[in-house]
Amino acid sequence: MPLIRLLPYAVCLLALSGIAACGSADAPPPGRNATATVVTSLDVTVTGTTVTPAPAQVDLRIGEALDLTVTTDHDDELHAHGFGDVEAELKAGVPTTVRLVGTESGVFEVETHEPALTLLTVAVR
């Protein structure tokens, strides 16, 4: 499949965006005051039951962070396991950003509830 061939490039772009964001002076999103040495950003869109980009694994080291921005076409709730069980209310058409900081090793799912969709997994090592 052509999309499978693009996955390595998407992972590289994701890694490069994390390196570029490392020196950023931007404050963390409201309610997320955790500090991280490296910050990676990822935008996810949910349309009906379709997640774009397709669910994949994001790798973080302990102390690194992922700024995840989710936009849905319907009201929903985001839940991130393994990060103090972060939850965020998602409003249709409104981008919502959460900062997930790797504080313990493991592989954790980030999901929505209505419908139950896996947006990505985060591997913290």
Side-chain angles (χ1 to χ4, degrees), residues 101-123:
V101 178
T103 57
E104 63 180 75
S105 296
V107 178
F108 309 105
E109 287 189 340
V110 180
E111 61 193 15
T112 61
H113 289 179
E114 299 294 328
L117 298 171
T118 299
L119 303 181
L120 66 143
T121 57
V122 182

Side-chain angles (χ1 to χ4, degrees), residues 31-71:
R32 310 284 182 242
N33 295 323
T35 3
T37 56
V38 176
V39 178
T40 301
S41 298
L42 177 64
D43 294 332
V44 173
T45 303
V46 178
T47 306
T49 59
T50 302
V51 178
T52 308
Q57 180 170 294
V58 175
D59 295 319
L60 295 178
R61 293 184 181 188
I62 299 278
E64 293 180 346
L66 171 65
D67 281 351
L68 175 64
T69 301
V70 179
T71 306

Side-chain angles (χ1 to χ4, degrees), residues 43-46 68-78 88-98 112 119:
D43 294 332
V44 173
T45 303
V46 178
L68 175 64
T69 301
V70 179
T71 306
T72 65
D73 65 348
H74 58 278
D75 290 351
D76 205 333
E77 186 175 311
L78 173 118
E89 188 175 328
L90 302 173
K91 293 290 184 188
V94 179
T96 301
T97 302
V98 294
T112 61
L119 303 181

